């Protein structure tokens, strides 16, 4: 019987549409938000450090190069060293400390708002003392955090609009009509920054989802949609590690459709593909617990894995799964359903020792299941053989089989 895997076919249009709809799943959106926020922290830390340095250096040129008036310098230094820099420093600590990172966004928004208010106060006081302080410093602060702080757009936009409304209202009320024109230019800057922030987040979301889609396709069999051999190997090693840590059991059945090459020759490859699809659907529907899974690991070869099932129950589940294939083929109208049957090889590791390598335990588990499968074929097919220590037993007859 051929054991060569069939070529992986690209997903059809319906499968593509189904995969693309993954982007609207709430769990995936939550994963994206967590990933986006994790990547944003570094950018946020950098801009906050730069902000504190810039504010800390302003006294050097306010008094010397620009010769600012004394009332302005007093207010400026009070705002910078007494309010703005401490607020940004607190937000920075919250962003970098592991136990407080979940408060990074509100802390960042609060610190940026305080910085914008301080810059607005300096602009007003400078104007009142005939000292020109650029009116767009508050807008630049908000715009910089919108883009470089990588705040979520839906959260950041209402905050930016409310902050700029307050800044513009304060400047117009305290300074007068000429500031209206300055406010217009500041709002233009905010609009550009908001569009840029939206496009950056949109691009990040598309890249993230595209990566997840590629990852999904790389671990799926093109014909049946089941996990492929790569996913089987990775996931089985993970379950074995969990079993070592929690002292649980892991059971594996390797399943092979009997005489599949003959079936293909008799009924044609489309019927063979239909048969494998039905088998894949049956296995997928039968894996009902979160840590149980199945996979297509070869041409007509499948695998099923059960986590934390007792030896007796696991063997019963494996035999029920194997037996159901023939009845399911009849129910689904598969061509030559009477010729569709399967052999299975079963092996289980019970509370694996932490002193043994997980890779070694996994390889031994799969090898024993594979040997049991070939023992089932030699014994006449259409049966389950399970590995019990160093022995292999035919479940149908109860007799031992030499490996």
């Amino acid at each position: 019987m051929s054991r060569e895997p069939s070529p992986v076919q690209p997903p059809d249009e319906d499968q593509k549409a189904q995969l693309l709809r993954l982007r609207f799943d709430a769990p995936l959106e939550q994963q994206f938000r967590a990933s986006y926020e994790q990547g944003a922290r570094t950018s946020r830390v950098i801009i906050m450090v730069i902000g504190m340095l810039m504010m800390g250096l302003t006294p050097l040129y306010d008094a010397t190069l620009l010769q600012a008036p004394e009332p302005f310098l007093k207010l400026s230094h009070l705002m910078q060293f007494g309010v703005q820099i401490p607020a940004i420093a607190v937000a920075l600590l919250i962003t970098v400390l592991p136990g407080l990172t979940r408060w990074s966004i509100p802390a960042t928004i609060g610190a940026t708002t305080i910085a914008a208010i301080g810059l607005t106060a300096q602009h007003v006081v400078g104007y009142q003392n005939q000292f020109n302080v650029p009116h767009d410093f508050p807008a630049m602060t908000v715009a910089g955090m919108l883009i470089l702080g990588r705040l979520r757009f839906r959260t950041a936009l209402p905050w930016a609009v409310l902050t700029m409304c307050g800044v513009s209202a304060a400047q117009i009320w305290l300074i007068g009509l000429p500031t209206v024109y300055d406010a217009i230019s500041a709002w233009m800057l905010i609009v550009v920054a908001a569009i840029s922030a939206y496009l950056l987040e949109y691009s990040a979301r598309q890249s993230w989802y595209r990566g997840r889609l590629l990852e999904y396709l790389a671990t799926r069999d093109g014909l049946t949609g089941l996990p492929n051999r790569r996913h089987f190997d990775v996931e089985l090693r993970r379950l074995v590690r969990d079993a070592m840590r929690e002292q649980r059991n892991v059971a594996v059945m390797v399943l092979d459709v009997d005489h599949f090459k003959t079936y293909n020759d008799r009924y044609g490859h489309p019927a063979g593909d239909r048969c494998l699809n039905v088998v894949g659907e049956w296995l997928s529907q039968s894996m009902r617990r979160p840590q149980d899974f199945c996979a297509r690991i070869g041409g007509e070869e499948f695998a099923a894995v059960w986590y934390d099932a007792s030896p007796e129950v696991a063997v019963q589940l494996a035999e029920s799964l194997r037996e159901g294939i023939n009845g399911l083929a009849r129910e689904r109208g598969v061509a030559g359903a009477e010729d569709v049957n399967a052999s299975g090889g079963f092996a289980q590791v019970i509370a694996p020792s932490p002193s043994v390598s997980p890779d070694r335990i996994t390889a031994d588990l799969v090898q024993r299941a594979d040997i049991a499968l070939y023992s089932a074929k030699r014994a006449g097919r259409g049966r389950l053989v399970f590995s019990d220590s160093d022995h292999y037993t035919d479940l149908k007859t109860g007799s031992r089989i030499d490996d």
Side-chain angles (χ1 to χ4, degrees):
M1 182 175 297
S2 171
R3 292 171 55 81
E4 291 297 323
S6 61
V8 176
Q9 302 174 359
D12 57 28
E13 292 304 318
D14 290 339
Q15 288 175 316
K16 288 180 181 178
Q18 182 179 5
L19 291 172
L20 290 174
R21 281 198 294 271
L22 288 172
R23 68 184 58 189
F24 299 107
D25 286 353
L28 278 181
E29 177 63 20
Q30 292 175 358
Q31 292 176 32
F32 165 72
R33 291 178 184 178
S35 174
Y36 188 77
E37 175 59 20
Q38 184 177 5
R41 290 188 194 123
T42 301
S43 177
R44 210 170 290 156
V45 166
I46 291 173
I47 190 173
M48 285 192 282
V49 170
I50 292 174
M52 287 194 297
L53 289 175
M54 291 176 64
M55 289 184 183
L57 292 174
T58 52
L60 296 178
Y61 56 80
D62 278 347
T64 57
L65 298 178
L66 302 180
Q67 297 180 349
E70 190 64 26
F72 170 80
L73 289 177
K74 288 182 179 179
L75 174 70
S76 177
H77 295 168
L78 175 63
M79 294 300 300
Q80 290 165 351
F81 296 101
V83 179
Q84 294 167 297
I85 292 178
I88 297 174
V90 170
L92 179 62
L93 286 175
I94 291 174
T95 301
V96 299
L97 292 178
L100 299 175
T101 51
R102 65 181 181 275
W103 302 106
S104 174
I105 293 176
T108 300
I109 288 176
T112 308
T113 304
I114 291 172
I117 292 172
L119 290 168
T120 303
Q122 293 172 56
H123 170 62
V124 171
V125 173
Y127 181 85
Q128 293 172 346
N129 287 271
Q130 281 119 32
F131 179 69
N132 182 30
V133 176
H135 71 280
D136 53 0
F137 275 180
M140 290 173 60
T141 302
V142 174
M145 191 55 70
L146 267 175
I147 300 174
L148 301 178
R150 294 181 64 184
L151 300 172
R152 293 293 311 284
F153 182 75
R154 292 184 179 180
T155 302
L157 184 62
W159 157 73
V161 170
L162 289 174
T163 301
M164 286 307 300
C165 283
V167 168
S168 298
Q171 289 176 336
I172 293 172
W173 179 51
L174 295 172
I175 297 177
L177 185 61
T179 311
V180 173
Y181 300 101
D182 294 338
I184 292 173
S185 66
W187 275 97
M188 292 174 65
L189 175 61
I190 293 298
V191 169
V192 172
I195 294 173
S196 301
Y198 172 79
L199 292 177
L200 286 171
E201 183 180 341
Y202 178 83
S203 177
R205 178 181 277 102
Q206 293 300 306
S207 297
W208 188 87
Y209 279 122
R210 197 171 291 116
R212 291 300 301 269
L213 180 59
L214 290 174
E215 179 183 346
Y216 177 86
L217 292 174
T219 59
R220 285 297 181 274
D221 171 60
L223 177 64
T224 64
L226 291 179
N228 59 17
R229 182 61 189 254
R230 177 187 298 177
H231 179 90
F232 170 77
D233 291 337
V234 171
E235 191 67 12
L236 182 58
R237 280 196 295 269
R238 184 189 66 80
L239 285 183
V240 167
R241 286 194 294 269
D242 290 347
M244 294 172 66
R245 184 176 62 253
E246 301 173 4
Q247 289 297 281
R248 306 292 184 183
N249 306 333
V250 177
V252 175
M253 178 177 67
V254 178
L255 188 76
D256 190 277
V257 179
D258 292 331
H259 300 294
F260 188 71
K261 186 178 185 304
T262 303
Y263 179 92
N264 256 343
D265 293 341
R266 178 178 299 175
Y267 300 104
H269 290 285
D273 290 347
R274 168 66 176 157
C275 175
L276 294 177
N277 270 317
V278 168
V279 173
E281 289 175 7
W282 169 244
L283 265 64
S284 181
Q285 293 169 5
S286 302
M287 301 290 106
R288 298 180 179 177
R289 299 189 306 169
Q291 291 182 289
D292 299 343
F293 73 98
C294 58
R296 183 187 180 195
I297 59 175
E300 64 274 14
E301 197 166 275
F302 298 84
V305 179
W306 295 273
Y307 183 75
D308 193 26
S310 66
E312 298 79 10
V313 171
V315 170
Q316 292 174 5
L317 289 171
E319 177 61 7
S320 175
L321 198 66
R322 189 202 64 79
E323 278 189 334
I325 289 174
N326 183 260
L328 187 71
R330 293 191 179 93
E331 177 187 327
R332 300 291 175 87
V334 174
E338 65 279 0
D339 296 330
V340 178
N341 212 334
S343 301
F346 176 90
Q348 187 173 36
V349 58
I350 299 173
S353 170
S355 62
V356 183
S357 165
D359 292 342
R360 181 178 175 183
I361 293 174
T362 302
D364 178 70
L365 186 61
V366 174
Q367 182 181 25
R368 288 195 290 121
D370 206 48
I371 292 173
L373 170 63
Y374 278 92
S375 298
K377 291 180 180 181
R378 288 197 301 269
R381 294 183 169 84
R383 67 193 66 220
L384 177 70
V385 170
F386 63 91
S387 169
D388 180 15
S389 184
D390 294 330
H391 304 286
Y392 295 87
T393 305
D394 187 337
L395 189 64
K396 180 182 290 188
T397 64
S399 60
R400 287 187 177 179
I401 301 174
D402 294 333
D403 58 357

